[in-house]
C-alpha cells in the first residue's frame, strides 16, 4: 500500500512536511503521523487510518511541539508533552510522561501522569518493548544529558522502579526475558566489572534483587575475560544490535544457538 502523506499534509492548507510514520506493531491499520513545519524539530502528531487513508476525526491529535509520543497499545499512548504550556526541562524538552487512553464513544481521552522529572533534567521518553512471545515491558528513560540517563521499569500498576544500570548505558532491546544493554562506561555487578564497549544480556528476573544473570555477548579485544565462558541458555535470541565503540559503529547480526557461537555477519553501519 502506497500512502501519499505529503499530499495529505498539503490538504490541510499549512506548510507541513512529512517527518515520519509510526504504525502500531500489532494492529497496523492505525498509524501516528508526525508532521513538521519547514523542517523544524517540533512536530504535530495525528492518528491516521491506513485502510481508509484518512485522518481519524476523533483519533489522537497533539499540537506542535518537541514531544515524544509512542504507541503503548492499540488504544493507548505514552505521551511526553513538549508543546507550549507543557512543563519542560531546562533544555526545552519534555519533563513528564503521561499515559493517554482512547475515550469511548466520543468521550475525551483519559490522561494519567506516570512520571515527572526535575527541570534540571534534560528530557524524558517512554516506550514499550514486546518480548518474543508478545509479553509487554514498559520503560521510562530520564536523561540528565545526551550520554547519561536512568531507566525506570513500570510495574502492573504503572509505578516506576529505577533499574540498576550505570548512567552511561543504553537498553537496545528486550528479548527472551533479557535486556540487551550496551555499556559506555564500566559496570560493577555482583563482584564482576564489565568494561565499556560490552554488549550484555541481562536477565530481568532477579534484577531488582541484585541477582540478575549477566551474559557477555560482545567484548572489546583488548579486554581479557579469564573467568567468563560462553554459556548459552535455552531458547537463545536472534537479534540485530547496534554496537558502538568510540567513533566506530558496527551493525552486528548474532545468532546464539545450541551450545556454541554461530557465525556472525558484521558490516559497517551507515
Amino acid at each position: 500500500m502506497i500512502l501519499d502523506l505529503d499530499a495529505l499534509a498539503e490538504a490541510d492548507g499549512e506548510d507541513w512536511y512529512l517527518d515520519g510514520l509510526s504504525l502500531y506493531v500489532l494492529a497496523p491499520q492505525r498509524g501516528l503521523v508526525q508532521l513538521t513545519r519547514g523542517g523544524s524539530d517540533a512536530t504535530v502528531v495525528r492518528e491516521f487510518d491506513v485502510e481508509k487513508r484518512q485522518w481519524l476525526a476523533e483519533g489522537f491529535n497533539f499540537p506542535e511541539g518537541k514531544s515524544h509520543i509512542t504507541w503503548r497499545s492499540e488504544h493507548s499512548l505514552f505521551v511526553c508533552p513538549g508543546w507550549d504550556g507543557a512543563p519542560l526541562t531546562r533544555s526545552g524538552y519534555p519533563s513528564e510522561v503521561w499515559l493517554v487512553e482512547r475515550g469511548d464513544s466520543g468521550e475525551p481521552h483519559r490522561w494519567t501522569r506516570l512520571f515527572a522529572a526535575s527541570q534540571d533534567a534534560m528530557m524524558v521518553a517512554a516506550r514499550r518493548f514486546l518480548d518474543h512471545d508478545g509479553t509487554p515491558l514498559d520503560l521510562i528513560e530520564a536523561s540528565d544529558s545526551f550520554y547519561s540517563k536512568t531507566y525506570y521499569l513500570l510495574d502492573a500498576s504503572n509505578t516506576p522502579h529505577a533499574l540498576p544500570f550505570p548512567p552511561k548505558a543504553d537498553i537496545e532491546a528486550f528479548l527472551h526475558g533479557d535486556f540487551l544493554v550496551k555499556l559506555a562506561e564500566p559496570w560493577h555487578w555482583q563482584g564482576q566489572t564489565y568494561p565499556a564497549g560490552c554488549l550484555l544480556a541481562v536477565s530481568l528476573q532477579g534484577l531488582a534483587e541484585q541477582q540478575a544473570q549477566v551474559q557477555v555477548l560482545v567484548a572489546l579485544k583488548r579486554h581479557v575475560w579469564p573467568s567468563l565462558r560462553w554459556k548459552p541458555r535455552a531458547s537463545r535470541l536472534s537479534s540485530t544490535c547496534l554496537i558502538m565503540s568510540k567513533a566506530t559503529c558496527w551493525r552486528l547480526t548474532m545468532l546464539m544457538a545450541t551450545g556454541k557461537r554461530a557465525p556472525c555477519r558484521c558490516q559497517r553501519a551507515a
Side-chain angles (χ1 to χ4, degrees):
M1 180 180 293
I2 300 176
L3 302 177
D4 189 359
L5 294 174
D6 287 320
L8 285 173
E10 294 173 0
D12 285 339
E14 297 282 352
D15 186 22
W16 296 111
Y17 293 86
L18 176 65
D19 181 66
L21 174 64
S22 169
L23 295 181
Y24 174 49
V25 66
L26 296 182
Q29 298 85 4
R30 299 287 175 85
L32 290 179
V33 179
Q34 298 177 342
L35 298 169
T36 182
R37 190 192 306 272
S40 168
D41 56 355
T43 61
V44 165
V45 179
R46 298 176 182 172
E47 189 175 9
F48 184 77
D49 189 312
V50 177
E51 292 184 337
K52 296 181 179 179
R53 303 192 182 190
Q54 64 185 23
W55 304 111
L56 272 72
E58 297 181 353
F60 294 117
N61 190 342
F62 302 96
E64 187 176 11
K66 298 178 182 179
S67 306
H68 184 272
I69 300 172
T70 59
W71 289 107
R72 177 181 176 271
S73 69
E74 184 179 359
H75 300 295
S76 64
L77 306 174
F78 286 126
V79 177
C80 305
W83 48 78
D84 289 344
L88 305 177
T89 65
R90 67 178 187 275
S91 302
Y93 292 103
S95 66
E96 294 184 346
V97 178
W98 291 76
L99 172 62
V100 180
E101 299 172 280
R102 191 187 306 277
D104 299 325
S105 302
E107 294 293 323
H109 303 318
R110 297 179 295 275
W111 289 66
T112 304
R113 192 174 73 166
L114 304 179
F115 183 84
S118 69
Q119 289 188 340
D120 292 332
M122 180 181 171
M123 65 184 301
V124 296
R127 58 182 53 86
R128 164 163 284 189
F129 289 100
L130 295 178
D131 204 349
H132 68 288
D133 59 358
T135 301
L137 182 138
D138 296 329
L139 288 181
I140 291 175
E141 179 182 317
S143 300
D144 296 325
S145 68
F146 281 112
Y147 307 105
S148 177
K149 62 179 71 70
T150 300
Y151 287 100
Y152 295 86
L153 176 66
L154 292 175
D155 63 18
S157 63
N158 288 323
T159 301
H161 302 274
L163 296 176
F165 297 123
K168 294 182 180 180
D170 293 306
I171 296 178
E172 301 289 351
F174 181 74
L175 199 58
H176 290 282
D178 291 341
F179 290 108
L180 296 187
V181 181
K182 182 180 63 184
L183 298 180
E185 66 177 343
W187 184 35
H188 308 287
W189 180 257
Q190 298 177 332
Q192 177 71 57
T193 298
Y194 301 94
C198 283
L199 179 71
L200 307 176
V202 183
S203 65
L204 172 60
Q205 183 177 3
L207 188 59
E209 297 78 20
Q210 306 285 314
Q211 297 178 353
Q213 296 184 37
V214 178
Q215 186 177 15
V216 178
L217 304 182
V218 177
L220 301 182
K221 289 184 178 180
R222 66 174 180 270
H223 296 295
V224 180
W225 297 84
S227 62
L228 295 179
R229 295 292 182 268
W230 185 263
K231 300 177 181 179
R233 298 192 287 265
S235 301
R236 288 318 313 165
L237 49 90
S238 171
S239 180
T240 299
C241 309
L242 190 66
I243 314 303
M244 290 187 290
S245 173
K246 296 184 178 179
T248 303
C249 184
W250 299 91
R251 187 177 303 277
L252 175 65
T253 301
M254 294 191 64
L255 293 175
M256 298 192 314
T258 59
K260 63 180 181 180
R261 188 191 302 262
C264 61
R265 181 177 69 255
C266 302
Q267 63 183 18
R268 188 174 300 276

